[in-house]
Amino acid sequence: MSTRSRGREESTKRDSREYWNKRAANFTRFATGEYEQWLMQLLALNPGEVVLDMGCATGTLAVPLARAGHHVHACDFAEAMLEILDERAAAEQLPISSHLLAWEDDWEAAGLGANSVDVAFASRSLMTEAVAPFIAKLDSAARSRAAVVVPASLPPSSDPRLLTYLGRTAKHPRNPRKVLRALRALGRVPVTASTTTFRPMRFDSFDEARSDLRRLARSEPFTVREQRLFDDYATQHLTRKVVQSPTGEDRQMWVLDYPLPVTWVFIGWRTEESEWG
């Protein structure tokens, strides 16, 4: 039986929540296994530890962690993601408690306040500029260890090739430095590791693919010239092809004809006086 905190701050972006709700149906189908294995090895959980997964999506990490015997508090601000997660957990009777919870919400009201879990982590979900208060929330919730994975290159919400074509400046993230600065302020000693993934751009229709490609050019309105360039770019680089999902299912989908690499940095730390691991 899932428990869900319904509170939200006005600062939660409605358009982002709607976007992730729309992506929920295909999110599990095209999850990437290599990244999840990399992160689970770095987390190195001890048997039976209780875990908080902030930004859990449809359970890419929560499900395998629960299968391994961990009770997982899986949190996300997208209702559709949690609905799919709840279905997966119910089908296998997994020890997962889902929470409709955003970074800005009251975690204590959701039962996830100070020292509520053994390990708290956020996998590719901490994209805000002001990271310090959220690092403090993870640190407070975890009795033993906490971790985040943040982009060290342009995040998956931007496409440097498209931005260059349009003449727009790419804004590189400073999240790793900001996380490390926040940890220094807390007196924590971090450990780090990095990996590169390739974001899949796979959609059921050209219009859906074009809409998502528009997001990768940043939110500022297009000039007339930029709109013309973007229309040409979408026609050139969005193609239809047969895509095989991890389950072996073949589907005709619209895809971007080049890879979108993203470099991710794992930053883990002890919330008690001992070394990581």
Side-chain angles (χ1 to χ4, degrees):
M1 184 94 180
S2 67
T3 59
R4 296 188 177 178
S5 167
R6 298 282 172 179
R8 283 193 177 84
E9 297 291 334
E10 291 183 359
S11 57
T12 300
K13 295 182 179 179
R14 181 172 178 79
D15 60 342
S16 294
R17 187 165 65 249
E18 290 177 350
Y19 168 76
W20 288 111
N21 275 327
K22 289 177 181 178
R23 282 201 65 196
N26 287 326
F27 194 88
T28 304
R29 178 181 293 131
F30 296 111
T32 55
E34 293 85 358
Y35 168 84
E36 284 73 28
Q37 292 173 11
W38 171 79
L39 179 53
M40 289 179 68
Q41 288 176 355
L42 287 170
L43 289 174
L45 298 176
N46 298 315
E49 285 188 311
V50 178
V51 182
L52 189 162
D53 178 359
M54 186 63 196
C56 63
T58 58
T60 309
L61 288 158
V63 167
L65 288 173
R67 287 171 178 161
H70 302 284
H71 185 101
V72 182
H73 291 278
C75 309
D76 207 286
F77 73 167
E79 298 93 333
M81 293 285 190
L82 293 180
E83 288 173 2
I84 294 173
L85 170 62
D86 287 342
E87 291 174 359
R88 299 180 71 191
E92 298 184 44
Q93 297 184 322
L94 297 173
I96 297 175
S97 299
S98 65
H99 304 262
L100 189 59
L101 194 69
W103 283 102
E104 299 88 351
D105 290 342
D106 185 344
W107 290 18
E108 188 171 355
L112 296 171
N115 298 317
S116 55
V117 299
D118 296 306
V119 178
F121 73 90
S123 169
R124 303 187 292 192
S125 65
L126 184 58
M127 299 297 181
T128 181
E129 286 293 311
V131 303
F134 306 135
I135 291 296
K137 279 189 171 184
L138 283 177
D139 185 86
S140 175
R143 288 185 288 266
S144 175
R145 306 185 306 287
V148 294
V149 179
V150 292
S153 62
L154 279 181
S157 58
S158 297
D159 178 355
R161 181 168 168 175
L162 171 59
L163 290 170
T164 300
Y165 186 83
L166 297 175
R168 293 191 165 192
T169 303
K171 298 178 181 179
H172 288 271
R174 296 175 292 173
N175 293 57
R177 282 183 290 170
K178 291 184 176 182
V179 171
L180 294 174
R181 189 180 305 128
L183 291 176
R184 284 197 297 270
L186 293 171
R188 305 307 189 203
V189 179
V191 296
T192 63
S194 64
T195 191
T196 298
T197 64
F198 296 88
R199 180 190 167 185
M201 289 280 288
R202 301 163 179 165
F203 301 94
D204 291 321
S205 69
F206 178 81
D207 287 343
E208 186 183 2
R210 185 179 181 278
S211 176
D212 201 68
L213 187 65
R214 173 63 184 88
R215 292 181 70 255
L216 304 184
R218 298 206 312 265
S219 60
E220 297 90 342
F222 280 158
T223 64
V224 173
R225 175 181 175 276
E226 287 176 333
Q227 185 66 63
R228 184 179 68 254
L229 288 172
F230 175 79
D231 291 341
D232 290 343
Y233 193 90
T235 300
Q236 292 173 27
H237 294 288
L238 292 174
T239 62
R240 200 171 186 193
K241 63 182 294 186
V242 175
V243 174
Q244 187 178 70
S245 74
T247 60
E249 174 190 6
D250 287 340
R251 294 184 63 191
Q252 282 276 351
M253 302 193 78
W254 286 92
V255 302
L256 192 63
D257 66 357
Y258 58 87
L260 280 176
V262 183
T263 299
W264 300 97
V265 175
F266 169 92
I267 304 174
W269 67 96
R270 277 277 183 183
T271 59
E272 57 187 23
E273 297 299 322
S274 59
E275 295 183 358
W276 177 272

